[in-house]
Amino acid sequence: MNEEKTKGAGRVGRLTNFLKDATRSEKLPEETLTEANGKERPSPKQDYCAVMSIEDEEVDHGRMKRLSTMWNHFQGKLSRERAVKDPTTPKPVAPAPADTPAREKCYASGQFFFEYLVVVSLKKKKEGGYEPQITYQFPKRDGMMKFQKQEEEKTLKAITLFCFPEGINWTPLTEYHSETFSFVLTEIDGSRRNGYCRRLLPHGKGARRPEAYCIISRVACFGLFSKIFDEVEKRRQIATAMIYPFMQSLREAPFPAPGHTVKIKSFIPESGTEIISLTRPLDSWLEHVDFRTLFRCLTDEEVLQVFATAVMERRIIFIAEELSTLSQVIHAVVALLYPFTWQHTFISIVPEILIDVVMAPTPYLLGVQKHMLDFVTDQSDMLIVDLSEGADNTFIASIGDEQTIIPPKLEEEILLALNARKENSTPEELNKVVSEAFLPFFVKTVGHFASYVKRDGDGQPGVFQKRSFYKAIESKTTRHFVKKFIQTQMFDLFIQEVEQQPASQEGFFHKKIAEYQEKKRREKAKKV
């Protein structure tokens, strides 16, 4: 037991040293940073000052939140500390062509499909074992400055780790079940790039090693990229050279706005020219999500406990052997938090070389393959969720209060709404049912926030009246929940954006708030 504690302390020490090193070595810009959606947010320095201004007992927690943000950009730094450092500030995405007003509307997102595609293969090392290496890259980056090339090499190295997170021990296979999964690379300014992977056994005979296709994109749309992988895989079986013209056509096509379709022409020998239609879902905030795996692995009540833990910004580790299961479940859990955004460490698949991250004391959502569970030596103050089929205990570790976080009446409403789903629902139908189950929870608990942002005049920044806000809630159990929830970083950053934006708001969440408030007014009028 003492030996385990010593090992655990050593890991925490190494992780703490890395975080300190990251804090010292990465000089953050003091000006306002821009998130991936184009909205401005305060710089990390401003966030830190805001944290320092709250009550004394929250100071250490605020510092830990900042360290958590620093940990998020680990991807690019592979050193003897066994960590990866994130690439530099991302390059701006080129605007979409706008030849006509109709084209502007169709491609209003102003983004392109992807930055690059790589094929990662397992190469045998002289000293034994295998090392994932990039064997194909499109497009090749030419004419880069030395520091740009170095940063790209770090990013590509990080990608190989996520494509094959299990480590170096592999055995050639004759059969291998293809799986598609995703991961996230977090920039130093908080913006994110998405990595989409399909791992499969390459075309051929006899025992061979799996390889992975990986697309890096600033776009979050799992369904679209899964379809793109189908096309890439089909061309790879003919010849690697067949991938290039398809990906070139895709790279030249602007990413469609929600609800629109882009058509790609591609030639295949013996088949001729094909027209490939790629349609983006209308509900763009759910386009990266497939809730089927989440509700296949967990009961409705278990999903609610995971949701409650995530809302309180605690540490959660998901356990499964399949990479696709881990990535799909974690992305689904994050989607349940809409309109709020998880602000802490978020690694859908933790590579073996980075397993020490489980020792971090700050909030996180981690996906860990089951064979690495023994590395989680300290299982206190966290929720560990076993997603394996037929698991004896879904919750390997828990704090114990997960069933009491959500107010009972609201919990019953969520469960009732989830019962409306059909057994063989399509992904779109399930997304609709789940969003209609969870979004009203935030509408009813914090949907009155706009009335408590006081402004001196039209167009002026506002100030959130926190105490008046939660005291306005009549239900004691709901007020108790909200009093805790408004201390989270996800709510804090949400309300900061509200304070800086004009009083009139548009969006799906605000639409649902307006509908709920109108419904309450009508019910009140009937009683009079």
Side-chain angles (χ1 to χ4, degrees):
M1 189 69 180
N2 291 334
E3 183 180 352
E4 287 184 0
K5 288 183 178 178
T6 304
K7 289 180 179 178
R11 286 177 181 160
V12 173
R14 291 197 299 274
L15 181 59
T16 303
N17 289 337
F18 168 77
L19 291 169
K20 288 179 179 178
D21 176 64
T23 307
R24 285 196 303 267
S25 62
E26 298 292 347
K27 182 172 176 56
L28 301 174
E30 297 184 7
E31 65 272 24
T32 301
L33 298 175
T34 304
E35 294 194 358
N37 59 9
K39 296 179 180 178
E40 292 185 347
R41 67 173 178 83
S43 70
K45 181 176 179 181
Q46 291 170 319
D47 284 346
Y48 183 66
C49 291
V51 170
M52 291 300 288
S53 67
I54 60 179
E55 298 178 21
D56 291 341
E57 65 266 26
E58 296 178 356
V59 171
D60 288 340
H61 182 56
R63 287 173 179 164
M64 286 298 100
K65 286 180 179 178
R66 186 168 184 257
L67 288 179
S68 174
T69 302
M70 296 305 302
W71 172 255
N72 274 345
H73 70 272
F74 67 87
Q75 293 91 274
K77 182 180 180 183
L78 182 62
S79 67
R80 59 176 177 269
E81 291 293 330
R82 299 190 350 161
V84 180
K85 175 183 174 184
D86 199 45
T88 55
T89 304
K91 297 172 182 174
V93 180
D99 300 333
T100 65
R103 186 176 179 87
E104 286 181 2
K105 183 178 179 182
C106 185
Y107 303 121
S109 60
Q111 300 185 63
F112 290 86
F113 274 92
F114 70 100
E115 291 185 9
Y116 42 79
L117 162 78
V118 296
V119 176
V120 181
S121 305
L122 290 167
K123 298 296 182 181
K124 198 164 187 177
K125 300 170 68 176
K126 291 181 180 179
E127 58 271 25
Y130 293 91
E131 180 182 17
Q133 294 180 2
I134 291 175
T135 53
Y136 177 84
Q137 178 182 343
F138 173 82
K140 287 286 187 182
R141 306 274 181 125
D142 298 321
M144 291 191 298
M145 303 282 288
K146 183 179 179 181
F147 78 93
Q148 292 175 317
K149 191 172 182 179
Q150 290 173 342
E151 292 303 330
E152 184 184 61
E153 287 174 355
K154 291 175 184 177
T155 301
L156 294 175
K157 182 65 178 177
I159 290 170
T160 64
L161 295 178
F162 284 108
C163 289
F164 289 94
E166 299 90 339
I168 63 174
N169 297 317
W170 279 89
T171 302
L173 307 167
T174 55
E175 293 184 4
Y176 181 80
H177 178 65
S178 170
E179 58 181 337
T180 306
F181 56 95
S182 63
F183 58 86
V184 175
L185 300 175
T186 307
E187 309 290 357
I188 194 170
D189 68 346
S191 63
R192 291 170 176 172
R193 285 189 290 179
N194 301 284
Y196 300 92
C197 289
R198 175 165 295 181
R199 214 164 68 174
L200 71 164
L201 213 56
H203 189 65
K205 296 180 180 180
R208 52 207 186 277
R209 297 176 293 276
E211 66 180 13
Y213 307 122
C214 183
I215 295 175
I216 300 298
S217 174
R218 297 203 178 273
V219 172
C221 193
F222 189 87
L224 271 186
F225 284 97
S226 184
K227 187 172 182 179
I228 290 170
F229 277 131
D230 291 341
E231 298 297 330
V232 170
E233 187 176 341
K234 183 164 61 176
R235 286 156 179 76
R236 172 74 162 167
Q237 289 177 358
I238 300 172
T240 303
M242 292 301 302
I243 298 174
Y244 174 83
F246 170 68
M247 295 306 292
Q248 181 63 34
S249 298
L250 188 66
R251 187 170 170 80
E252 292 171 355
F255 191 67
H260 288 277
T261 299
V262 65
K263 294 185 178 182
I264 310 294
K265 289 184 179 181
S266 181
F267 177 79
I268 297 181
E270 299 180 3
S271 298
T273 300
E274 293 185 350
I275 304 296
I276 301 158
S277 296
L278 300 170
T279 302
R280 188 177 176 191
L282 191 59
D283 294 332
S284 59
W285 65 278
L286 286 174
E287 63 189 345
H288 191 53
V289 180
D290 185 341
F291 285 113
R292 289 177 298 179
T293 304
L294 175 65
F295 285 93
R296 189 190 75 236
C297 294
L298 303 176
T299 65
D300 294 356
E301 290 77 12
E302 289 167 345
V303 170
L304 261 178
Q305 291 185 54
V306 172
F307 169 71
T309 305
V311 164
M312 291 290 103
E313 293 187 335
R314 295 176 177 177
R315 298 189 298 168
I316 308 178
I317 296 177
F318 295 91
I319 302 295
E321 205 54 60
E322 301 82 11
L323 303 179
S324 54
T325 297
L326 290 173
S327 68
Q328 288 173 19
V329 166
I330 290 186
H331 283 291
V333 170
V334 170
L336 296 179
L337 301 175
Y338 178 84
F340 302 96
T341 305
W342 180 262
Q343 299 294 333
H344 302 280
T345 302
F346 174 84
I347 311 176
S348 56
I349 298 168
V350 178
E352 185 174 314
I353 197 171
L354 295 171
I355 192 61
D356 284 355
V357 71
V358 301
M359 307 301 291
T362 51
Y364 54 57
L365 295 177
L366 303 179
V368 174
Q369 289 182 282
K370 195 161 189 176
H371 69 271
M372 293 194 287
L373 180 58
D374 290 342
F375 288 103
V376 189
T377 54
D378 181 3
Q379 300 183 0
S380 60
D381 297 325
M382 68 172 64
L383 183 68
I384 302 180
V385 187
D386 191 347
L387 302 172
S388 307
E389 188 175 351
D392 294 332
N393 294 306
T394 301
F395 299 123
I396 297 173
S398 64
I399 294 176
D401 65 344
E402 290 83 3
Q403 292 179 300
T404 63
I405 294 173
I406 305 299
K409 184 182 177 182
L410 296 177
E411 182 176 311
E412 289 176 11
E413 291 178 0
I414 294 174
L415 292 173
L416 185 63
L418 289 175
N419 284 335
R421 71 184 187 276
K422 300 175 183 176
E423 188 173 341
N424 297 317
S425 300
T426 65
E428 293 75 18
E429 290 171 342
L430 183 58
N431 283 358
K432 188 174 186 295
V433 170
V434 174
S435 66
E436 289 179 353
F438 283 89
L439 188 58
F441 170 77
F442 289 118
V443 170
K444 294 174 182 178
T445 53
V446 297
H448 59 297
F449 66 87
S451 300
Y452 294 89
V453 178
K454 304 303 178 185
R455 304 176 189 273
D456 292 334
D458 293 340
Q460 296 297 313
V463 177
F464 181 57
Q465 308 293 318
K466 182 188 294 185
R467 186 176 178 83
S468 301
F469 169 73
Y470 71 75
K471 279 190 168 292
I473 301 170
E474 295 178 3
S475 167
K476 287 184 178 179
T477 53
T478 302
R479 191 189 315 133
H480 178 71
F481 165 78
V482 170
K483 197 171 180 180
K484 289 183 176 180
F485 179 59
I486 61 178
Q487 301 300 323
T488 62
Q489 192 166 343
M490 71 176 82
F491 181 84
D492 185 52
L493 292 184
F494 173 85
I495 211 66
Q496 281 185 37
E497 287 190 0
V498 172
E499 289 174 329
Q500 297 301 317
Q501 291 171 353
S504 60
Q505 297 290 317
E506 294 183 0
F508 190 69
F509 183 50
H510 297 88
K511 178 184 175 183
K512 290 298 180 182
I513 291 173
E515 290 175 358
Y516 175 68
Q517 292 174 342
E518 179 61 26
K519 182 182 176 183
K520 284 183 67 177
R521 278 193 290 269
R522 288 177 181 175
E523 291 174 351
K524 190 175 181 180
K526 287 181 181 179
K527 293 179 182 179
V528 176

